[in-house]
Amino acid sequence: MKICVILLMVSLFSTAFSDETSDLYLLPKPSSILQYPSEHKKVDGEEVNLYCTSWRFTAETNNLAPWSTIPAECADYVKEYVMSRGYVTDLERVSEEASIFANSVEFSGDGKDIWVFDIDETLLSNLPYYIDHGFGYTFPQSPFSFSILFYGTIRFEFGIFVERGVAPAISPSLKLYQRVFDLGYKIFLLTGRKEIHRLVTVENLINAGQCFVLQRVLIYGILQGKLSSSSVSPDVQHKMATLYKSEKRNAMVKDGYRIRGNSGDQWSDLLGSSMSERSFKLPNPMYYIP
């Protein structure tokens, strides 16, 4: 009897590991296992929306390698998204979550609790500019330098747009700005804009937001320190945004500030050293700044 049991076990063991083409393989392959294509193929028709939705999700979650432009087939998709109620809803959700957190913070009482905001595509919208420039598809974008990306030869026209001072406020961000200001946070605007755009940026914020109160607000730009203009070497102008903004946050922490919240449309606004207690990423599928 023992010999029969052993032979039966060996038989079952051999059957379980036999080639699936064998007659002994009687069970069908599970249909629930996803089968992925072996390589990427150009998408068209009904696949475009699915592909571009996946691309935007991957970009927004910072899972894409540094990218320079949106995929050609996604130009219309991105246009429709940023001009839609869906984009506004996403902005509102981020603002609401940030406001909930802002209300939950227990202040130290020494005036050192701060909230950091980026400006472009965070407080001010440059959609009027991008409407005329392919929503991120028309212009190639440098993956190396955020100063070149926005204000060098590639972005000369954008600099002209900035000087017009007509960028509208992003309403959900304006509400959050007002909320954290009313709660008593000191606000830091940490931007990649050049010092030469300081005055027009302040005027733009005031005119667009009406309630963008700039008392208790410190503005940092790429070519200056805190509320002052200085001559900076060319290597500073070509720093990655992540490094530049990390250095500025390091300075804030060194001065004794506690960075409670940080709102920005780029991961380079949020990542690096001296990160905030909570970071809030606003959607922006139009461009990427490393």
Side-chain angles (χ1 to χ4, degrees), residues 4-6 31 33 50-51 64 82 89 141 143 176 211 219 260:
C4 292
V5 172
I6 293 173
S31 59
I33 297 178
L50 181 61
Y51 169 73
L64 278 183
V82 296
T89 301
Q141 302 186 30
L176 174 63
C211 293
I219 303 177
R260 300 296 198 173

Side-chain angles (χ1 to χ4, degrees), residues 103-288:
N103 279 285
S104 71
V105 173
E106 295 185 6
F107 278 28
S108 58
D110 59 2
K112 294 287 188 175
D113 298 292
I114 69 173
W115 198 284
V116 177
F117 285 94
D118 174 50
I119 292 180
D120 294 298
E121 270 60 67
T122 299
L123 294 180
L124 296 178
S125 171
N126 296 307
L127 272 179
Y129 170 81
Y130 283 102
I131 286 174
D132 295 329
H133 294 89
F135 296 89
Y137 170 65
T138 301
F139 278 130
Q141 302 186 30
S142 167
F144 304 108
S145 167
F146 77 123
S147 59
I148 289 180
L149 174 64
F150 277 97
Y151 302 106
T153 303
I154 294 176
R155 286 301 182 211
F156 177 74
E157 290 188 25
F158 183 78
I160 295 176
F161 172 78
V162 168
E163 279 300 309
R164 291 171 57 196
V166 295
I170 294 178
S171 180
S173 294
L174 173 58
K175 292 178 181 178
L176 174 63
Y177 182 102
Q178 294 169 337
R179 182 56 181 162
V180 299
F181 184 88
D182 292 341
L183 286 171
Y185 288 89
K186 182 170 288 185
I187 296 175
F188 281 61
L189 305 187
L190 182 51
T191 176
R193 292 190 172 196
K194 285 186 175 181
E195 176 62 24
I196 59 174
H197 298 308
R198 171 186 287 270
L199 292 180
V200 72
T201 297
V202 171
E203 292 175 358
N204 195 162
L205 285 166
I206 294 174
N207 294 334
Q210 297 181 357
C211 293
F212 273 130
V213 182
L214 296 181
Q215 295 112 345
R216 286 204 328 264
V217 176
L218 301 180
I219 303 177
Y220 280 80
I222 182 161
L223 294 185
Q224 94 271 345
K226 183 170 55 180
L227 292 177
S228 65
S229 177
S230 61
S231 175
V232 181
S233 60
D235 62 316
V236 173
Q237 299 181 38
H238 298 287
K239 282 183 179 178
M240 294 290 188
T242 304
L243 175 59
Y244 167 75
K245 295 199 171 187
S246 290
E247 291 176 345
K248 293 301 182 183
R249 291 196 302 270
N250 291 343
M252 298 173 196
V253 173
K254 186 177 180 180
D255 287 341
Y257 292 106
R258 289 173 293 278
I259 307 176
R260 300 296 198 173
N262 186 2
S263 298
D265 67 294
Q266 299 291 316
W267 284 103
S268 54
D269 297 331
L270 311 173
L271 300 179
S273 57
S274 299
M275 292 173 59
S276 57
E277 188 172 330
R278 281 287 306 276
S279 297
F280 298 90
K281 169 72 169 65
L282 284 73
N284 181 4
M286 295 183 294
Y287 59 83
Y288 171 83

Side-chain angles (χ1 to χ4, degrees), residues 16-33:
F17 286 89
S18 62
D19 191 285
E20 64 182 52
T21 60
S22 168
D23 293 339
L24 294 175
Y25 191 92
L26 302 178
L27 297 176
K29 292 182 180 180
S31 59
S32 60
I33 297 178

